[in-house]
Amino acid sequence: MPKKERKKGLFLSIEGPDGAGKTTQARMLKERLEKMGLPVVLTREPGGTPIGEEIRKILLNPDFREMTVPCEILLYSAARAQLVSECIYPSLQKGITVISDRYLDSTIVYQGLAGGEKPEIIEMINMWAAGRLLPEITFLLDIDVETGLRRLRGKYTGAPDWRGDRMEQKELEFHRKVRQGFLQLASRDSERFFVIQAGDRPESVHEKIWEKMQEILRDPAKG
Ligand code: TYD
């Protein structure tokens, strides 16, 4: 069903490799939009609902190293199905802007292009589970893998026993594929994706996002 008929709020997602600073940018964007008087819901994946947060604990538990890619796909998609139906879709219907810290593109990239599963299978499962809902704009925060992972470790300085979550523990090669995967998706769909270099200070990254955001807000076809 055509997206413009289904929703009234603007649906945005922020994507990128681990350590790109998505969460900080999502919060900054939410605050800025709220200052303009727009109602905004910020949500994250996996998680964002009580059920989704429980699924998140399983997905990121570093003890579950044996978890298969199909199991990951189904769990990420299950959390997303709940998030769409409980939070994203009703919010959009009320005219609320939704910012999702990760969405379907993360599954296509982490479990598909980097994890080895066919992207079409992931798309099919999600089209069924998440009701064909896609963001209007996806901000892709691009960062080189080493810098991203270094940033993550920096966050935990002073915790010498830091292991990272189950996904962060994967090898460098996997994280390289993740970065390439996101760039590949962005080049295929340049209308939806907006790529931002995320190595700068958070304030300058935010300004770049904000510039694009203003353009989107001026466009009456959006939202
Ligand atoms: P996130 O909480 O965004 O971690 P970070 O802020 O460190 O980037 O995401 C948790 C991990 O889950 C992250 O390594 C990416 C991974 N992930 C997938 O593998 N598939 C998915 O569909 C999603 C949403 C996340």
Side-chain angles (χ1 to χ4, degrees):
M1 111 186 50
K3 16 181 213 180
K4 295 258 154 41
E5 277 172 31
R6 288 195 51 192
K7 57 188 165 60
K8 302 188 184 95
L10 188 60
F11 183 21
L12 309 166
S13 66
I14 305 198
E15 296 278 5
D18 293 79
K22 292 175 290 59
T23 308
T24 308
Q25 291 305 324
R27 287 200 195 116
M28 289 171 95
L29 180 58
K30 175 179 194 277
E31 277 172 27
R32 192 100 178 236
L33 288 167
E34 282 175 339
K35 270 195 202 141
M36 289 179 64
L38 285 177
V40 181
V41 163
L42 172 57
T43 191
R44 71 164 177 181
E45 282 211 15
T49 64
I51 294 171
E53 291 295 325
E54 288 301 310
I55 297 176
R56 179 183 177 93
K57 285 183 202 156
I58 302 173
L59 275 164
L60 301 185
N61 185 339
D63 293 333
F64 294 154
R65 297 184 73 104
E66 71 277 26
M67 193 183 289
T68 64
V69 173
C71 180
E72 286 179 359
I73 292 171
L74 293 170
L75 288 176
Y76 280 114
S77 306
R80 180 167 309 124
Q82 191 62 31
L83 181 67
V84 168
S85 128
E86 192 178 324
C87 171
I88 300 182
Y89 188 66
S91 301
L92 294 173
Q93 284 298 309
K94 287 184 209 144
I96 300 172
T97 298
V98 176
I99 305 173
S100 193
D101 182 347
R102 296 198 185 280
Y103 192 68
L104 171 61
D105 300 306
S106 277
T107 319
I108 305 277
V109 168
Y110 279 82
Q111 281 66 48
L113 301 173
E117 189 48 84
K118 287 197 192 81
E120 306 88 74
I121 289 182
I122 299 169
E123 265 161 18
M124 211 164 64
I125 291 170
N126 276 270
M127 286 301 124
W128 167 73
R132 299 182 179 277
L133 188 66
L134 279 180
E136 251 134 320
I137 292 287
T138 297
F139 292 104
L140 171 57
L141 303 189
D142 182 43
I143 190 148
D144 73 82
V145 173
E146 284 81 2
T147 312
L149 293 177
R150 213 179 309 123
R151 273 190 186 176
L152 278 186
R153 304 222 153 89
K155 245 194 343 200
Y156 296 94
T157 311
D161 55 348
W162 180 73
R163 294 194 283 162
D165 69 37
R166 201 179 55 83
M167 298 306 288
E168 286 162 3
Q169 276 184 359
K170 294 182 186 269
E171 315 84 70
L172 209 57
E173 191 45 35
F174 177 83
H175 291 283
R176 289 213 173 92
K177 285 187 192 160
V178 165
R179 182 186 184 200
Q180 286 316 315
F182 274 123
L183 290 171
Q184 195 179 320
L185 290 191
S187 71
R188 276 197 219 144
D189 188 354
S190 55
E191 247 188 60
R192 174 161 70 87
F193 279 89
F194 187 65
V195 184
I196 289 171
Q197 295 315 316
D200 297 346
R201 292 178 315 120
E203 292 74 20
S204 2
V205 176
H206 170 69
E207 284 312 317
K208 287 184 209 153
I209 292 180
W210 189 243
E211 229 173 81
K212 179 70 185 171
M213 206 53 233
Q214 284 173 304
E215 227 177 84
I216 296 161
L217 293 172
R218 277 196 298 267
D219 178 357
K222 300 279 180 195

